Amino acid sequence: MVATGAGEAGIENASVSDTAADMGYRAMSSQPSSQPSSQPSSQPSSEMISSARADATSAPTPDSLEILRHDCAHVLAEAVQSLYPSAKLGFGPAIEDGFYYDFERAEPFTPDCFEALEEKMREIIGRAASFEREEWDRTEAHRYFTERGEHLKAEHVLSLPEDESITIYRQGDWLDLCRGPHGGTTGGVGTAFKLLSVSGAVWKGGDKKLQRVRGTCWHTGDELSAYLSRLERARLSDHRRLGQGLYHFQEEAAGSAFWHEGGFAIYRACERYIRSRLANEGYREVRTPQLIDRSLWERSGHWQKFREHMYTISEQDDSADGGKRVFALKPMNCPGHVQIFKQSLVSYRELPLRLSEFGLVHRNEPSGSLHGLMRARAFTQDDGHIFCREDQIVEETRRFCVLLQSIYRDFGFSDISVKFSDRPSERAGDDILWDKAETALRDASLAAGLDYSLNSGEGAFYGPKLEFVLRDGLGRDWQCGTWQVDFVLPRRLEAYYIDERGERCHPVLLHRAILGSLERFIGIVMEHYVGALPLWLSPVQVVVATITNKSDDYAEECASIFRAAGLRVSVDCRAEKIGYKIREHSSHKVPIIAVVGEQESVSRSVSLRRFGMASDASQDSDSSTSVNSRERVSGQLPLLSAVEALRLESALPRGVEP
């Protein structure tokens, strides 16, 4: 559901797995046959094959984009093997907004290959060959692909369940190992397609390197043009492009951001804002250790569920058995918060107890999934856990929803949807506890007035959850906030409170996050505003720029007064024309340029110029309530008046009413 920056340039890694196909199929292709007939002499004999015209009605409807893009992926695969016969193929699913196909080839593909490939694809589409579905004997299919050197496909045939049919889809002389479904003919793909990028991939999460060619396909040319326009907007708003000079990544600490001064100013502004809002809600801020012995993770269930994503450290144990202790860098904060709760015996009168933490966590994400701030290995959660009684779940849910929506509006997001994620197939706790938790969350959602859609089977392993999805200025959806009702973890970790009868009871644990990952949320905000951040978030809020060097001393004095008021300021006293300075700082989207010259020095004033006064990114969206609700001064003003006005405008938001 989460959108990422689409159409990115350059080479990136991705992981290919058995579940790669979004439509629930595994697509793999063969080289085109050198035989003129539709049945090569070395393919399985006719008694091993049953054939039928492709049936596109067994899953998605025939006119669905998934089938169209599935067809286009097969056309791409045939085109590649027509032009580059040595290429071997892996998976090729339809994905959101398009498709991709993975190839094993010694020589690298580049965007320069796209024109020839697209021309060959149009030729294949023009033939309008029928998609024919065939069922093959497993042994014969393995032999067929092995003889042609298609070792990835041969390997995959053997990995399929014994009770699963081996299905082949043929389009003319070329065929593909695939579950389907497909449309009627290759001609149905049409001409509204385009190849977009080449990236790296790995086969089934292993070491074998593949190349991924990605494209898009639509029903009409107008739809394709609109999508390409969205891609260009996404390229211009990519946080990795906008964030140059604010932070960087490097291989020695892959997936962990190096925050520069400007980027860390944004980070700290977000942190200060969330901290102030939570303090008003009665949260108690805590800090838990980074390294925790595996025994706690085993008791909580995280070791069994998330071990492969946890970084571990071993040390020699000085005990008699001479073993090793294993510690894990925490991938989440909840077990630590339970330990804090357990340090005193809490009375029911003290509930709800709300704990919060800006918790740095580490998760061993695959290298191919890393994507700037959006997908990292080290990130900080604005995490919180509420320990409460069952009769307090409804009120705590209502309070949280009001707080979350207010915070999102302060950041400029007003279009928010909610998903209800119920029990997953792999989970902790028995069905009685899950029934109780799901009923409680549904009742609380109803009381909070939430209109949600069902996200079946996507709950956390210890409880159902609500997922809050915001839509940005480019129309993309991002899942950020979560709210989870957990009856399981307090029992596993033996957390208790004393009820009104003096008996020990397990509390309900409500897990919650609003921004989710601070790093990722900053990336989302940067892309939403296309870098033109609101004044309170901007890394540099004011640049004092001189018209001539005669005003240098006054510019430094102005900057000192602005800084004393809490503003982030820089000074530009270069011997450049003021027009050049304004253009340069505007290109960096600095919100305020305070121009000073001889006239301003004499009158002790400043001339304020605002970035994009009539067309900045915050005014392009209806979701910029908190930015536009403040007075936005400009023009020539007395210095102290300008300082006071900008001090008020740059203050942290305090909650925007609907």
Side-chain angles (χ1 to χ4, degrees):
M1 184 62 198
V2 177
T4 57
E8 58 271 7
I11 303 296
E12 296 183 354
N13 291 324
S15 178
V16 183
S17 70
D18 282 326
T19 57
D22 287 32
M23 292 175 59
Y25 73 96
R26 301 179 179 99
M28 309 174 70
S29 305
S30 71
Q31 295 182 34
S33 171
S34 59
Q35 300 291 332
S37 70
S38 62
Q39 193 165 320
S41 59
S42 59
Q43 77 173 34
S45 59
S46 58
E47 60 268 21
M48 298 291 185
I49 300 171
S50 61
S51 179
R53 180 65 58 88
D55 180 10
T57 63
S58 60
T61 57
D63 60 349
S64 73
L65 278 173
E66 288 85 355
I67 288 181
L68 187 70
R69 289 164 179 166
H70 187 178
D71 292 351
C72 201
H74 282 214
V75 170
L76 167 63
E78 181 180 353
V80 165
Q81 293 200 313
S82 295
L83 296 179
Y84 310 102
S86 65
K88 311 299 180 186
L89 284 77
F91 293 134
I95 57 176
E96 184 177 3
D97 291 337
F99 61 90
Y100 68 76
Y101 220 111
D102 290 338
F103 304 89
E104 184 183 43
R105 182 170 178 255
E107 300 80 13
F109 289 107
T110 71
D112 293 337
C113 304
F114 290 173
E115 183 176 353
L117 281 171
E118 289 175 346
E119 182 60 34
K120 177 58 69 172
M121 290 173 70
R122 284 188 285 270
E123 177 186 322
I124 294 168
I125 291 167
R127 298 175 194 156
S130 297
F131 286 105
E132 302 284 348
R133 180 182 182 276
E134 301 174 355
E135 291 191 13
W136 286 21
D137 174 79
R138 182 181 305 270
T139 301
E140 292 295 325
H142 179 263
R143 180 183 62 80
Y144 175 84
F145 292 124
T146 300
E147 289 177 352
R148 282 158 177 73
E150 293 287 0
H151 60 98
L152 299 179
K153 292 177 286 181
E155 172 191 326
H156 191 64
V157 167
L158 297 182
S159 72
L160 295 175
E162 288 294 330
D163 59 352
E164 182 172 334
S165 298
I166 305 300
T167 56
I168 301 293
Y169 276 82
R170 185 187 299 278
Q171 53 200 61
D173 291 338
W174 187 88
L175 54 83
D176 190 334
L177 174 66
C178 177
R179 287 179 176 175
H182 279 285
T185 71
T186 59
V189 173
T191 59
F193 67 88
K194 186 171 181 60
L195 301 181
L196 299 173
S197 65
V198 180
S199 61
V202 292
W203 173 251
K204 294 190 176 183
D207 298 328
K208 189 177 296 297
K209 305 295 185 182
L210 304 179
Q211 299 181 62
R212 176 167 297 177
V213 178
R214 190 161 64 90
T216 189
C217 184
W218 299 83
H219 288 303
T220 69
D222 287 344
E223 290 175 329
L224 174 63
S225 296
Y227 175 71
L228 295 178
S229 295
R230 293 198 302 273
L231 280 189
E232 178 61 16
R233 291 181 63 197
R235 185 189 69 80
L236 294 174
S237 70
D238 191 319
H239 73 284
R240 294 169 298 178
R241 172 180 173 272
L242 298 171
Q244 293 180 10
L246 300 178
Y247 57 85
H248 81 276
F249 291 85
Q250 61 189 63
E251 189 57 35
E252 290 84 349
S256 301
F258 290 77
W259 287 100
H260 300 198
E261 180 185 8
F264 197 53
I266 302 173
Y267 183 101
R268 286 185 296 133
C270 291
E271 191 178 57
R272 285 197 306 270
Y273 166 72
I274 293 296
R275 180 174 283 121
S276 68
R277 296 300 304 272
L278 295 183
N280 291 335
E281 291 292 317
Y283 282 85
R284 307 178 189 185
E285 187 173 348
V286 299
R287 177 63 59 91
T288 55
Q290 287 292 299
L291 276 175
I292 300 177
D293 190 283
R294 66 175 285 179
S295 60
L296 179 60
W297 301 114
E298 288 174 340
R299 295 201 306 274
S300 71
H302 292 95
W303 187 262
Q304 296 86 335
K305 179 69 175 178
F306 295 108
R307 169 64 187 88
E308 64 186 68
H309 298 298
M310 298 170 73
Y311 290 101
T312 60
I313 298 174
S314 298
E315 71 169 10
Q316 192 68 36
D317 192 347
D318 294 332
S319 61
D321 61 9
K324 287 186 177 181
R325 293 188 68 186
V326 177
F327 296 85
L329 281 170
K330 65 176 179 180
M332 58 274 298
N333 303 293
C334 38
H337 287 194
V338 176
Q339 303 315 300
I340 291 176
F341 177 83
K342 290 173 59 178
Q343 291 309 296
S344 61
L345 200 54
V346 176
S347 165
Y348 73 96
R349 294 187 180 91
E350 300 175 69
L351 301 181
L353 177 64
R354 306 182 186 100
L355 301 182
S356 68
E357 178 177 6
F358 292 100
L360 175 62
V361 299
H362 291 78
R363 296 180 186 176
N364 188 13
E365 302 285 358
S367 60
S369 69
L370 301 180
H371 183 79
L373 298 177
M374 302 301 197
R375 189 74 177 268
R377 288 174 172 165
F379 54 93
T380 300
Q381 295 177 313
D382 66 322
D383 213 349
H385 294 90
I386 301 169
F387 298 84
C388 69
R389 306 187 307 266
E390 287 187 42
D391 63 300
Q392 294 172 322
I393 295 175
V394 169
E395 175 58 19
E396 288 302 305
T397 301
R398 187 199 64 79
R399 287 174 62 103
F400 173 74
C401 291
V402 171
L403 175 65
L404 174 137
Q405 293 179 69
S406 173
I407 287 174
Y408 283 175
R409 284 191 294 270
D410 279 345
F411 279 100
F413 301 102
S414 60
D415 190 349
I416 304 165
S417 58
V418 184
K419 294 182 178 181
F420 186 106
S421 298
D422 60 10
R423 69 192 73 185
S425 56
E426 295 184 21
R427 57 186 180 271
D430 57 33
D431 286 343
I432 294 175
L433 285 181
W434 275 89
D435 290 342
K436 182 188 293 188
E438 289 176 352
T439 299
L441 186 55
R442 288 193 185 94
D443 291 346
S445 301
L446 180 63
L450 295 181
D451 182 15
Y452 60 80
S453 60
L454 181 62
N455 194 22
S456 183
E458 294 299 319
F461 82 96
Y462 40 73
K465 63 181 177 179
L466 298 177
E467 297 179 351
F468 295 85
V469 180
L470 55 85
R471 177 159 293 181
D472 70 7
L474 294 177
R476 300 171 301 181
D477 291 339
W478 305 91
Q479 189 268 306
C480 295
T482 58
W483 177 258
Q484 302 167 15
V485 175
D486 178 6
F487 286 84
V488 174
L489 202 57
R491 286 165 170 77
R492 294 186 71 125
L493 297 181
E494 300 179 328
Y496 298 97
Y497 72 93
I498 302 300
D499 69 10
E500 61 273 17
R501 298 183 301 275
E503 298 177 354
R504 289 156 61 96
C505 295
H506 294 293
V508 179
L509 181 56
L510 304 175
H511 306 247
R512 71 109 192 97
I514 298 174
L515 306 187
S517 156
L518 263 69
E519 286 80 358
R520 178 171 173 269
F521 195 83
I522 289 170
I524 293 170
V525 169
M526 289 178 65
E527 295 194 0
H528 175 63
Y529 287 106
V530 198
L533 296 174
L535 187 62
W536 71 277
L537 276 174
S538 183
V540 176
Q541 295 169 317
V542 180
V543 170
V544 181
T546 57
I547 296 176
T548 69
N549 291 120
K550 294 179 180 180
S551 306
D552 287 359
D553 291 343
Y554 180 62
E556 292 291 352
E557 180 185 354
C558 291
S560 296
I561 296 173
F562 278 123
R563 290 191 188 102
L567 291 155
R568 297 185 286 276
V569 185
S570 67
V571 181
D572 188 349
C573 293
R574 294 175 299 168
E576 300 283 358
K577 292 183 178 179
I578 189 62
Y580 175 85
K581 295 180 182 180
I582 291 172
R583 287 192 298 273
E584 182 178 275
H585 295 301
S586 295
S587 71
H588 294 124
K589 303 187 178 181
V590 175
I592 305 290
I593 302 175
V595 178
V596 297
E598 292 185 65
Q599 179 182 342
E600 286 79 12
S601 299
V602 171
S603 63
R604 302 211 34 96
S605 63
V606 290
S607 182
L608 299 184
R609 299 179 62 99
R610 308 189 73 100
F611 172 76
M613 185 65 183
S615 60
D616 72 334
S618 68
Q619 293 180 341
D620 290 340
S621 170
D622 292 336
S623 60
S624 54
T625 310
S626 65
V627 180
N628 294 329
S629 63
R630 304 181 184 196
E631 184 179 0
R632 296 160 61 87
V633 297
S634 62
Q636 189 160 346
L637 295 170
L639 173 59
L640 296 183
S641 297
V643 170
E644 179 62 12
L646 294 181
R647 183 188 69 81
L648 293 173
E649 185 183 340
S650 65
L652 297 178
R654 294 297 177 185
V656 177
E657 296 301 323

